[in-house]
Amino acid sequence: MSDEHHPEEIAHDVADIRADVAYERDQLDASIKHDYSTSETGVVPLDKRRPMWHFMGLWTTFVAGFSYMFLGFEIRDGGHSLASTVGITLLGYGIYVAYAMFGSYLGSRTGQTYGLLTRSVFGSGGSVIVCLFVLIAPLGWVAFQANLLVTLWDGFYSWGHIFTLTLIVAGLMIFNNLLGFTGISVFARYLVTPLLILWGLYMVIKGFATDSGSFSGTPKGSGLPLWVAVGAVIGFSMWGNEPDFWRYGKPRFWWPISTYLFAAVWFTLFTMGGWMMAALAKSNDAATIFNFTVHYSLFGLFWLAWIIATVSQVAINDGNYYESVNAGQNLVGGWKLWRRPYTVLLVGVGGVIAADLVNFHFLNGWFKVATFLAISVPSATVIMAVDHFALPRIFKISRPLTEVPAWEEAGWFNWPAVIALLVAVFYGVTGSASWPNGWLNATPSNNWGPVPLESWLIAGALYIGLVALARAFGSVKTQLAFSKQAIAANVPGGAIVD
């Protein structure tokens, strides 16, 4: 059988791409207006769901590029061999995927943003608490990614002015979110991903083919403990608001797994590449290593490196900002005079403030950001997944999520959920040694094991225990902040409602 591509097949592929671009353009106005992120437009219709390859392109952009090379630098600097780094990366990413499958399914089943789900499950008061976590935590990543981009520029051209450029870049990176989810997806699929993959493959293959002797043995390092390194990988993998993205997916549990596995290849590849470039550059300075990398794998074409770095970092921060914007929309988007672009601009100001704090005031700010995001928002996701999937089976308590309640229609305060979340976050921040100025921090932090995973389990188990307790204090639906619509629906207790 011939592998030759016939002209009509090529024409068909080109037509598919053109049709998809045309569809994205048609949806642009709707995305700018609401992006299905308020109670009036809060459920993504089934006929607006996206195909699998859309998510593969999007997620590959989220896990490939210079920031994951930086992760490789840090793990190597912590004294881990290349083989150990690969094992740590796969373990951390595997733990993340185990969590993400439930978060993704929750989003695809309900079609709702993360913020709107918190309003239904945590109640209006609890939703404010969760959305503050969701609003603030990704801005730490915005700050880190903006500073990394400026560091890259400095490594390429010795531009300097790190502080000023970091603040400016952090603010400008909000622009794509004015285009909503559509702006992110088009930018990622058609421009960023193919170039990143080709470059990463070439870099790693060349390293093994020509310099593999430099990659043996265990480097001297700072003694980064195993579970701390795994926690960093989970943090770099984590979004926490997976329902935001996967509400556009097919509502089947195993449907996202191929995307996560596909992305795992590139996540591991770029982490390996970072380790290898640090070993060959014989340096722990990020700017120096990136400069060496351009000479080694991009033929000294600094203009091309500038384009790749800038495009990839902006694409990653599209996702970070998107997370914060949707949380903000849950808080203020229901106001009739409010428009989504206002939220976008306010969140952009928050990104500038975070860029100053994380990069220039916090010691090891990147690590604190990674671990806090791996603990806080995912713990709330676990609680919502337990509420939706486990409570109907354990207690015959079923909360329908088919409608998004307005603020005045939502329940007030799901106290078992809020207490479980705060306890899990307190444990996680303490166990990962992330409190400012060492207050209450674990010493040494690795004694606490896989802290993010432990925090998620604490959140889920404690919520179940507190729900059992809440049943003794009157109407359980009132205790769990059921909305007016959910109470009126009066669905069977054991039903998991689509």
Side-chain angles (χ1 to χ4, degrees):
M1 181 179 294
S2 172
D3 291 332
E4 180 182 356
H5 294 282
H6 296 289
E8 60 270 18
E9 293 175 342
I10 297 174
H12 179 72
D13 292 339
V14 172
D16 284 346
I17 294 175
R18 287 176 177 172
D20 190 63
V21 172
Y23 170 78
E24 300 287 5
R25 188 165 54 245
D26 291 341
Q27 294 299 310
L28 188 58
D29 182 62
S31 293
I32 293 171
K33 288 180 178 177
H34 53 69
D35 194 30
Y36 304 105
S37 57
T38 64
S39 55
E40 292 79 11
T41 61
V43 177
V44 178
L46 289 176
D47 61 356
K48 301 296 184 183
R49 304 300 173 97
R50 307 297 176 87
M52 177 64 71
W53 59 266
H54 160 87
F55 288 95
M56 286 188 173
L58 182 65
W59 227 258
T60 298
T61 303
F62 287 163
V63 301
F66 288 94
S67 56
Y68 301 93
M69 290 181 64
F70 177 86
L71 178 61
F73 301 167
E74 294 297 324
I75 295 177
R76 182 183 182 277
D77 188 44
H80 292 277
S81 67
L82 180 57
S84 175
T85 298
V86 172
I88 288 169
T89 302
L90 293 175
L91 177 59
Y93 190 81
I95 292 173
Y96 161 72
V97 171
Y99 146 82
M101 291 296 293
F102 290 93
S104 304
Y105 191 37
L106 186 64
S108 64
R109 277 176 62 91
T110 64
Q112 298 180 32
T113 69
Y114 193 94
L116 296 180
L117 282 170
T118 65
R119 192 188 304 175
S120 293
V121 177
F122 281 81
S124 56
S127 179
V128 171
I129 296 173
V130 178
C131 282
L132 287 175
F133 281 138
V134 182
L135 180 67
I136 293 171
L139 293 182
W141 271 126
V142 167
F144 166 74
Q145 301 290 2
N147 180 253
L148 181 60
L149 177 57
V150 173
T151 301
L152 286 162
W153 290 348
D154 185 53
F156 297 160
Y157 302 114
S158 300
W159 282 355
H161 306 293
I162 303 296
F163 174 78
T164 303
L165 285 175
T166 295
L167 300 190
I168 293 173
V169 167
L172 291 178
M173 282 178 161
I174 192 66
F175 174 76
N176 263 3
N177 270 266
L178 288 171
L179 306 181
F181 191 90
T182 297
I184 299 171
S185 61
V186 173
F187 192 58
R189 287 207 307 273
Y190 297 120
L191 185 59
V192 178
T193 305
L195 193 58
L196 281 172
I197 289 176
L198 291 174
W199 168 60
L201 285 170
Y202 175 76
M203 174 175 58
V204 172
I205 291 172
K206 180 182 178 182
F208 280 118
T210 61
D211 297 288
S212 58
S214 302
F215 306 145
S216 60
T218 301
K220 295 181 180 179
S222 59
L224 183 68
L226 170 66
W227 287 117
V228 175
V230 170
V233 171
I234 295 173
F236 270 74
S237 310
M238 180 63 65
W239 290 93
N241 69 326
E242 279 68 20
D244 271 351
F245 298 102
W246 290 96
R247 64 198 171 104
Y248 285 91
K250 305 292 184 182
R252 296 194 295 272
F253 179 80
W254 290 108
W255 195 76
I257 191 65
S258 57
T259 292
Y260 285 124
L261 294 180
F262 183 74
V265 175
W266 314 116
F267 188 103
T268 306
L269 179 81
F270 279 92
T271 305
M272 289 173 58
W275 192 102
M276 293 162 66
M277 294 302 102
L280 294 176
K282 296 180 173 59
S283 173
N284 295 325
D285 177 67
T288 301
I289 301 171
F290 285 131
N291 186 289
F292 171 85
T293 301
V294 174
H295 286 288
Y296 186 84
S297 62
L298 285 174
F299 315 104
L301 300 176
F302 282 94
W303 63 269
L304 180 59
W306 190 91
I307 293 174
I308 293 175
T310 303
V311 167
S312 62
Q313 290 303 106
V314 169
I316 289 173
N317 260 355
D318 279 346
N320 292 323
Y321 267 132
Y322 183 71
E323 186 170 359
S324 290
V325 167
N326 278 347
Q329 278 291 95
N330 178 51
L331 295 174
V332 298
W335 183 29
K336 291 183 178 179
L337 299 178
W338 194 260
R339 297 294 181 268
R340 190 175 186 277
Y342 304 161
T343 306
V344 172
L345 295 176
L346 285 178
V347 169
V349 173
V352 175
I353 297 172
D356 178 37
L357 294 175
V358 170
N359 297 300
F360 305 106
H361 289 84
F362 293 164
L363 182 64
N364 293 324
W366 72 271
F367 176 75
K368 288 181 170 60
V369 166
T371 52
F372 183 72
L373 183 56
I375 291 161
S376 56
V377 182
S379 293
T381 306
V382 168
I383 289 170
M384 290 193 292
V386 168
D387 186 275
H388 189 60
F389 298 116
L391 294 193
R393 294 180 170 91
I394 299 174
F395 299 119
K396 302 300 181 183
I397 301 172
S398 182
R399 182 196 312 264
L401 297 175
T402 52
E403 296 182 60
V404 179
W407 281 105
E408 62 273 12
E409 298 169 332
W412 166 234
F413 203 75
N414 182 347
W415 65 264
V418 172
I419 292 175
L421 173 64
L422 295 179
V423 169
V425 171
F426 182 86
Y427 173 89
V429 173
T430 304
S432 61
S434 296
W435 289 107
N437 303 318
W439 182 72
L440 284 181
N441 284 338
T443 306
S445 58
N446 64 305
N447 284 349
W448 293 57
V451 172
L453 176 60
E454 293 166 353
S455 298
W456 308 340
L457 295 175
I458 288 171
L462 185 57
Y463 182 52
I464 292 174
L466 291 175
V467 168
L469 181 63
R471 300 168 74 199
F473 292 96
S475 170
V476 70
K477 291 184 178 182
T478 302
Q479 304 292 321
L480 301 186
F482 273 49
S483 67
K484 292 180 180 178
Q485 296 97 320
I487 293 175
N490 196 27
V491 299
I496 299 175
V497 184
D498 290 301

